[in-house]
Amino acid sequence: MADITLSPDRLQRTQTPATRRRASLRNFKAQGLAWMLALPALFLMAMLLLGPLLAVVVLSFTDYSLGNASLDWRGLDNYQAMLGDDIFYKSISNTLVYVGIVVPGSLLLGLGAALLIESLTRGKAFWRAVYFLPVMATLIAMAIVWEFMMSARFGIIPQTLALLGFPAKNWLQETATALPVLCIIGIWQSLGFNMVLFMAGLSGIPRTLYEALELDGGSSAWTRFWTITWPMLAPVTMFVVIITAIRSFQVFDTVHVLTKGGPNNATMVLIYQIYQEGFDFFRSSYAAALTVVFLVFIFILTVIKARTIENKVHYS
């Protein structure tokens, strides 16, 4: 028996104009119904996401202070004040330094930990749990532990360094060392998360690629890494860089618990300055202006990173 099944293109050509109009009308009604059903969710998303953002932008052009019943329109006064604020420039500089240290540090160590754990024949689950523990733990609680560890009188780190000939002092209270110590804590906290992502990427690399490389004479671990592992991990690396950078720009907990932005604003970062202006000094409008600058800065940086790394990423 001959097959009389028509392809969709041929079937559409055989339909009359009236039939096509009825089909188009049914499709339009179906799409309209779908949008009507999705409208409540879209409205809630707009209110929860775009509403607060719009409110922050509007407040940045006023003189509103927390608790005031009225406000006046001030235009660009807050942004002009920001340009003359030395603390603002310091917070931007510290934030960039923090991101510049934490992102590559946690990426390289996370990749190294993933490669070492994957090379083990036993005990993988144990070491995964050990490295992932800082991610599961509450960062504020861990910051308090770090504060005790850094104490000049009884902290294990200063006392150990004293045995090696270094002065026993609290490195978090020194202008030159406070920010690097916070960077080390940030790397320690992000390492486990990046490790898990890299391990997921490693598990997705076909073993046949390594077998083919061995047949071509590339048997060394260094050759295997540069020829197969690193290029195949490019999509995961892109994701890790962007996510770690965004999380690093949002650093707040450790600064608030350990240094309060000090000493001498040595650890003042942009998020903490926003908090301080809004909830310590009650200058809500100026804090809103800082928030707008922060959001614009994050958006631009994320787009640049995504486009720059995307050009070097080859998906399998």
Side-chain angles (χ1 to χ4, degrees), residues 231-250:
M232 294 296 294
L233 286 178
V236 178
T237 304
M238 181 186 69
F239 180 79
V240 169
V241 169
I242 294 176
I243 293 300
T244 308
I246 293 175
R247 294 177 62 188
S248 299
F249 270 104
Q250 296 173 345

mmCIF file of all heavy atoms in Angstrom, residues 231-250:
data_model
loop_
_atom_site.group_PDB
_atom_site.id
_atom_site.type_symbol
_atom_site.label_atom_id
_atom_site.label_comp_id
_atom_site.label_asym_id
_atom_site.label_seq_id
_atom_site.Cartn_x
_atom_site.Cartn_y
_atom_site.Cartn_z
ATOM 1 N N PRO A 231 41.315 22.875 27.111
ATOM 2 C CA PRO A 231 40.368 23.345 26.087
ATOM 3 C C PRO A 231 38.944 22.858 26.313
ATOM 4 O O PRO A 231 37.976 23.609 26.093
ATOM 5 C CB PRO A 231 40.939 22.781 24.779
ATOM 6 C CG PRO A 231 42.385 22.581 25.056
ATOM 7 C CD PRO A 231 42.458 22.165 26.482
ATOM 8 N N MET A 232 38.768 21.624 26.769
ATOM 9 C CA MET A 232 37.422 21.097 26.989
ATOM 10 C C MET A 232 36.750 21.719 28.197
ATOM 11 O O MET A 232 35.522 21.685 28.318
ATOM 12 C CB MET A 232 37.485 19.573 27.149
ATOM 13 C CG MET A 232 37.910 18.840 25.895
ATOM 14 S SD MET A 232 36.734 19.046 24.531
ATOM 15 C CE MET A 232 35.315 18.189 25.175
ATOM 16 N N LEU A 233 37.531 22.283 29.110
ATOM 17 C CA LEU A 233 36.976 22.946 30.295
ATOM 18 C C LEU A 233 36.673 24.425 30.050
ATOM 19 O O LEU A 233 36.288 25.123 30.986
ATOM 20 C CB LEU A 233 37.947 22.825 31.473
ATOM 21 C CG LEU A 233 38.048 21.462 32.149
ATOM 22 C CD1 LEU A 233 39.092 21.516 33.257
ATOM 23 C CD2 LEU A 233 36.703 21.015 32.715
ATOM 24 N N ALA A 234 36.857 24.903 28.827
ATOM 25 C CA ALA A 234 36.652 26.321 28.539
ATOM 26 C C ALA A 234 35.249 26.809 28.893
ATOM 27 O O ALA A 234 35.098 27.875 29.503
ATOM 28 C CB ALA A 234 36.973 26.603 27.070
ATOM 29 N N PRO A 235 34.165 26.082 28.566
ATOM 30 C CA PRO A 235 32.833 26.572 28.977
ATOM 31 C C PRO A 235 32.674 26.663 30.487
ATOM 32 O O PRO A 235 32.106 27.628 31.000
ATOM 33 C CB PRO A 235 31.885 25.531 28.378
ATOM 34 C CG PRO A 235 32.642 24.908 27.266
ATOM 35 C CD PRO A 235 34.071 24.894 27.711
ATOM 36 N N VAL A 236 33.180 25.656 31.215
ATOM 37 C CA VAL A 236 33.095 25.686 32.678
ATOM 38 C C VAL A 236 33.932 26.829 33.226
ATOM 39 O O VAL A 236 33.517 27.519 34.171
ATOM 40 C CB VAL A 236 33.559 24.340 33.268
ATOM 41 C CG1 VAL A 236 33.522 24.375 34.786
ATOM 42 C CG2 VAL A 236 32.694 23.211 32.741
ATOM 43 N N THR A 237 35.097 27.039 32.651
ATOM 44 C CA THR A 237 35.963 28.127 33.109
ATOM 45 C C THR A 237 35.290 29.478 32.922
ATOM 46 O O THR A 237 35.356 30.345 33.803
ATOM 47 C CB THR A 237 37.294 28.104 32.339
ATOM 48 O OG1 THR A 237 37.914 26.823 32.492
ATOM 49 C CG2 THR A 237 38.235 29.184 32.844
ATOM 50 N N MET A 238 34.624 29.674 31.791
ATOM 51 C CA MET A 238 33.902 30.916 31.563
ATOM 52 C C MET A 238 32.848 31.133 32.638
ATOM 53 O O MET A 238 32.714 32.218 33.196
ATOM 54 C CB MET A 238 33.241 30.910 30.184
ATOM 55 C CG MET A 238 32.475 32.181 29.852
ATOM 56 S SD MET A 238 31.557 32.080 28.292
ATOM 57 C CE MET A 238 30.295 30.875 28.752
ATOM 58 N N PHE A 239 32.104 30.089 32.940
ATOM 59 C CA PHE A 239 31.057 30.190 33.966
ATOM 60 C C PHE A 239 31.660 30.486 35.332
ATOM 61 O O PHE A 239 31.141 31.333 36.081
ATOM 62 C CB PHE A 239 30.258 28.888 34.006
ATOM 63 C CG PHE A 239 29.155 28.879 35.019
ATOM 64 C CD1 PHE A 239 27.960 29.517 34.757
ATOM 65 C CD2 PHE A 239 29.311 28.233 36.233
ATOM 66 C CE1 PHE A 239 26.940 29.518 35.691
ATOM 67 C CE2 PHE A 239 28.300 28.224 37.171
ATOM 68 C CZ PHE A 239 27.108 28.867 36.898
ATOM 69 N N VAL A 240 32.752 29.813 35.665
ATOM 70 C CA VAL A 240 33.388 30.016 36.969
ATOM 71 C C VAL A 240 33.908 31.442 37.111
ATOM 72 O O VAL A 240 33.733 32.084 38.156
ATOM 73 C CB VAL A 240 34.531 28.994 37.171
ATOM 74 C CG1 VAL A 240 35.382 29.362 38.382
ATOM 75 C CG2 VAL A 240 33.956 27.598 37.342
ATOM 76 N N VAL A 241 34.544 31.965 36.068
ATOM 77 C CA VAL A 241 35.082 33.326 36.122
ATOM 78 C C VAL A 241 33.971 34.339 36.364
ATOM 79 O O VAL A 241 34.073 35.217 37.231
ATOM 80 C CB VAL A 241 35.853 33.650 34.830
ATOM 81 C CG1 VAL A 241 36.183 35.137 34.756
ATOM 82 C CG2 VAL A 241 37.137 32.840 34.768
ATOM 83 N N ILE A 242 32.887 34.232 35.610
ATOM 84 C CA ILE A 242 31.811 35.212 35.727
ATOM 85 C C ILE A 242 31.123 35.114 37.074
ATOM 86 O O ILE A 242 30.890 36.130 37.749
ATOM 87 C CB ILE A 242 30.804 35.029 34.573
ATOM 88 C CG1 ILE A 242 31.463 35.371 33.248
ATOM 89 C CG2 ILE A 242 29.576 35.901 34.782
ATOM 90 C CD1 ILE A 242 30.584 35.135 32.047
ATOM 91 N N ILE A 243 30.789 33.902 37.506
ATOM 92 C CA ILE A 243 30.094 33.735 38.786
ATOM 93 C C ILE A 243 30.975 34.167 39.945
ATOM 94 O O ILE A 243 30.523 34.864 40.867
ATOM 95 C CB ILE A 243 29.659 32.265 38.958
ATOM 96 C CG1 ILE A 243 28.580 31.913 37.938
ATOM 97 C CG2 ILE A 243 29.139 32.027 40.368
ATOM 98 C CD1 ILE A 243 27.320 32.749 38.057
ATOM 99 N N THR A 244 32.241 33.793 39.935
ATOM 100 C CA THR A 244 33.147 34.173 41.010
ATOM 101 C C THR A 244 33.362 35.679 41.050
ATOM 102 O O THR A 244 33.446 36.287 42.127
ATOM 103 C CB THR A 244 34.495 33.452 40.872
ATOM 104 O OG1 THR A 244 34.270 32.053 40.732
ATOM 105 C CG2 THR A 244 35.372 33.697 42.089
ATOM 106 N N ALA A 245 33.450 36.305 39.873
ATOM 107 C CA ALA A 245 33.619 37.761 39.827
ATOM 108 C C ALA A 245 32.408 38.474 40.409
ATOM 109 O O ALA A 245 32.545 39.417 41.195
ATOM 110 C CB ALA A 245 33.863 38.214 38.383
ATOM 111 N N ILE A 246 31.218 38.030 40.061
ATOM 112 C CA ILE A 246 30.006 38.661 40.596
ATOM 113 C C ILE A 246 29.929 38.476 42.103
ATOM 114 O O ILE A 246 29.610 39.416 42.846
ATOM 115 C CB ILE A 246 28.771 38.081 39.896
ATOM 116 C CG1 ILE A 246 28.752 38.490 38.423
ATOM 117 C CG2 ILE A 246 27.485 38.549 40.577
ATOM 118 C CD1 ILE A 246 27.635 37.868 37.624
ATOM 119 N N ARG A 247 30.226 37.271 42.584
ATOM 120 C CA ARG A 247 30.193 37.029 44.026
ATOM 121 C C ARG A 247 31.268 37.838 44.753
ATOM 122 O O ARG A 247 31.053 38.308 45.874
ATOM 123 C CB ARG A 247 30.376 35.528 44.301
ATOM 124 C CG ARG A 247 29.239 34.664 43.794
ATOM 125 C CD ARG A 247 29.513 33.195 44.022
ATOM 126 N NE ARG A 247 29.631 32.877 45.443
ATOM 127 C CZ ARG A 247 30.027 31.700 45.912
ATOM 128 N NH1 ARG A 247 30.377 30.733 45.063
ATOM 129 N NH2 ARG A 247 30.099 31.488 47.200
ATOM 130 N N SER A 248 32.405 38.014 44.117
ATOM 131 C CA SER A 248 33.466 38.793 44.752
ATOM 132 C C SER A 248 33.109 40.270 44.818
ATOM 133 O O SER A 248 33.430 40.944 45.806
ATOM 134 C CB SER A 248 34.781 38.602 43.969
ATOM 135 O OG SER A 248 35.184 37.248 43.965
ATOM 136 N N PHE A 249 32.443 40.791 43.798
ATOM 137 C CA PHE A 249 31.995 42.178 43.850
ATOM 138 C C PHE A 249 30.971 42.395 44.951
ATOM 139 O O PHE A 249 30.818 43.512 45.434
ATOM 140 C CB PHE A 249 31.402 42.587 42.501
ATOM 141 C CG PHE A 249 32.411 43.170 41.559
ATOM 142 C CD1 PHE A 249 32.904 42.427 40.496
ATOM 143 C CD2 PHE A 249 32.888 44.453 41.733
ATOM 144 C CE1 PHE A 249 33.839 42.953 39.630
ATOM 145 C CE2 PHE A 249 33.827 44.989 40.866
ATOM 146 C CZ PHE A 249 34.305 44.233 39.812
ATOM 147 N N GLN A 250 30.288 41.348 45.349
ATOM 148 C CA GLN A 250 29.259 41.457 46.374
ATOM 149 C C GLN A 250 29.784 41.138 47.766
ATOM 150 O O GLN A 250 28.978 40.919 48.685
ATOM 151 C CB GLN A 250 28.095 40.518 46.030
ATOM 152 C CG GLN A 250 27.385 40.878 44.732
ATOM 153 C CD GLN A 250 26.360 39.846 44.313
ATOM 154 O OE1 GLN A 250 26.352 38.729 44.813
ATOM 155 N NE2 GLN A 250 25.490 40.219 43.389
#
